[in-house]
Amino acid sequence: MSHNFQLRSSALPLRFFPGGLGARFLCNEPKHLGSSNSVGVAVASPASRTLQRHQAKATAKEVGVQETAQGSAALGWAARDASGVLSPFDFSRRAQKDDDVTIKVLYCGICHTDLYTIKNEWGTAMYPVVPGHEILGVVTSAGSGVTKFKAGETVGVGYFLGSCRSCECCGNGYENYCSGMVLTSNGTDREHGGEVTQGGFSDVIVANQDYVVRVPDGLPLAGAAPLLCAGVTVYSPMMRFGLNAPGKHLGVVGLGGLGHVAVKFGKAFGMKVTVISTSPGKREEALERLGADEFLVSRDPEQMQAAFGTMDGILDTVSAWHPISPLFALMKPMGQMVFVGGPTKPLELPAYAIVPGGKGIAGNCVGGIGDCQAMLEFAGKHGITAEVEVIKMDYVNTALERLEKNDVRYRFVIDVAGSLGSTA
Ligand code: NAP
Ligand code: ZN
C-alpha cells in the first residue's frame, strides 16, 4: 500500500513528539477549508438540525442522534483560531458504514494535548477544531457488518480511530505507531475523502469497530473517560518496559492527568511509586489519596539528592520544558526513562546523564487498540479511574485556562450528554 506522504516542514519541531504524527504526515494537502462545510458530507443548518433532531426523537428513542443516508447532524464545540476559544459548532458526521458504530458521546476528558492543538502550539491545527480524544459513550447503532458491539454497549474511543492496517506496526498491534494513523480530532481521514476529523467535544461520533474499545461494567463513567488517552499512555510503556513488576521502584514526573493515573497503575502492579513534582501542595493528596509511597519536590536539590540512584524506571509526563538531567540521576544503573509529555521546546539531554549508568531512554505515544482494551480490563479489575472534575460544556473555556495554569485535580471531564442535550 502506497501512501505518498508528505512531511510538512512547518511541523519539523514536532518530530520529538510522536503524538503529532498522524497530523504531520499528510496525503497531499489537508482539507483546510476553515468553515463548517469542511467536515462531513452533509452540513445541517442550526434550523434544519433542530428539525432533524426532533424527527430523530420520534424514530430512534434511545439514540438521540439523527442518522441520514449522508451522515449525522452533530453539535460540537470548536476552536476557530489559535486563540483556542471554543464555541458551539454545527457539523455532520460521516455516514455510518457496515463496519462502523455510531456512538452517543456521554463524557469526554480534556487532555493537555487538546490545549496544544486548539492553540496551534504544535503547528498542526486545521480549524475549526473540535477537540477531545478521551471519549466515552454508548453505541446507538451498529452497521450490518459489526460483530464486536451492539447498541446499548458502553464503549470508548481514544487518540486515534484509524490506521493503514497493513504495515508492520498495525500487524503487531502498534497501530499507534502506524504512519497512517488517523487522529480522532484534527486528523486527516484519508479513507473518508481526506476529511478533517472532529473529536469528542461533540454529541455523536462514528467510528470503525476496530478502533473502538469496550468499557468494563462497574467503572464510573466520567472517571473512566480519561483512561482512553491518559490511561493507555502510561499503561502501555509500563508493560513494554517491564515497569509493572511488583517491588520495582517507579518514578512519576508531573502529577497531572497522566501522572496521577500512572501512580494508580503503579500501585496496582505492586510497585513502589514516587511522585516527582513541582507542586508541594500536591504532596498530601499524592500520598494519602492516590497511594504514592514518596513525594519529591523536583526543585528541591536536597530531596532529589536523597533519592539518588533509587529508581528502576521513570515516566516523565510533564507538559512543559523542564531540566531532565536531575531525573536521570534518580535512576539505578540501567534504569529506563520513558517520555510521554510533548513540551513545545526541546528538552536537553547531556550524554553524561545516560552514558555512565547505561541508562535507557524511550518515548511513548498512547498505545495500540489491544493495549487500550487490556488497560481497561485491568482498570476494571482494580477499580482504577481518574480523579475528575466533571464540568458542563459551557465551562470548557475556563477549564482550559485552568488546565494551562496547572489548576486541576486531576482531569477535567465534560458531561457532554448533559450539556449538549442530545439525550432522547
Ligand atoms: P497536565 O494534566 O497538564 O499535567 C502535566 C503536569 O506537568 C502538571 O500537572 C505538572 O505536574 C507538570 N508541569 C507543568 N508545568 C511544568 C513545568 N513548567 N515544569 C515541570 N513540571 C510541570 O497534562 P496531561 O494531560 O497529563 O499531559 C501531559 C503531557 O503529556 C502533555 O505534554 C500532553 O500533551 C502529553 N500527552 C502525551 C501523550 C502521549 O501519547 N505521549 C498522551 C497524552 C498526553 P506537577 O504539578 O506535579 O509538577
Ligand atoms: Zn490525550
Side-chain angles (χ1 to χ4, degrees), residues 167-178:
C167 70
E168 194 176 330
C169 289
C170 286
N172 291 327
Y174 290 112
E175 304 90 353
N176 49 319
Y177 297 121
C178 168

Side-chain angles (χ1 to χ4, degrees), residues 17 110-113 116 122 133 229-230 233 254-259 275-279 282 299 317-322 339-343 364-366 403 406 408 410-411:
F17 186 56
I110 306 182
C111 176
H112 208 109
T113 297
Y116 297 132
W122 287 343
H133 55 264
C229 173
T233 298
L255 197 62
L258 269 57
V275 172
I276 304 141
S277 170
T278 58
S279 305
K282 294 181 181 175
R299 290 170 179 159
T317 74
V318 173
S319 54
W321 184 91
H322 57 294
F339 288 103
V340 295
N364 184 79
C365 179
V366 288
L403 175 61
N406 194 9
V408 53
Y410 285 90
R411 197 55 136 194

Side-chain angles (χ1 to χ4, degrees), residues 3 27 92 100 132 136 300 317 325 332 340-341 361 385 410-411:
H3 287 297
C27 186
S92 292
D100 288 338
L136 187 142
D300 181 334
T317 74
S325 292
K332 297 174 184 172
V340 295
I361 176 166
T385 51
Y410 285 90
R411 197 55 136 194

Side-chain angles (χ1 to χ4, degrees), residues 27-38:
C27 186
N28 303 317
E29 277 302 298
K31 293 253 190 295
H32 186 173
L33 304 177
S35 70
S36 60
N37 62 3
S38 64

Side-chain angles (χ1 to χ4, degrees), residues 49-67 72-75 93 102-106 138-141 202-205 416-417 420-424:
R49 194 170 171 284
T50 307
L51 178 62
Q52 286 169 350
R53 284 190 173 279
H54 180 71
Q55 290 164 342
K57 284 182 186 178
T59 54
K61 353 175 206 24
E62 244 196 69
V63 175
V65 168
Q66 165 72 26
E67 289 156 33
S72 314
L75 173 61
R93 289 294 182 191
T102 299
I103 300 165
K104 173 180 165 181
V105 180
L106 300 178
V138 61
V139 175
T140 54
S141 144
S202 64
D203 55 1
V204 59
I205 190 162
V416 177
L420 298 182
S422 67
T423 309

Side-chain angles (χ1 to χ4, degrees), residues 123-207:
T124 56
M126 296 180 275
Y127 297 109
V129 174
V130 176
H133 55 264
E134 292 184 335
I135 301 168
L136 187 142
V138 61
V139 175
T140 54
S141 144
S144 58
V146 171
T147 52
K148 299 180 181 173
F149 304 100
K150 51 184 190 306
E153 280 185 312
T154 307
V155 294
V157 175
Y159 192 54
F160 62 97
L161 41 54
S163 66
C164 84
R165 297 171 182 264
S166 58
C167 70
E168 194 176 330
C169 289
C170 286
N172 291 327
Y174 290 112
E175 304 90 353
N176 49 319
Y177 297 121
C178 168
S179 60
M181 176 175 79
V182 180
L183 300 182
T184 298
S185 162
N186 196 50
T188 305
D189 195 348
R190 283 168 290 277
E191 213 184 309
H192 298 98
E195 74 178 36
V196 176
T197 57
Q198 303 293 2
F201 292 14
S202 64
D203 55 1
V204 59
I205 190 162
V206 177

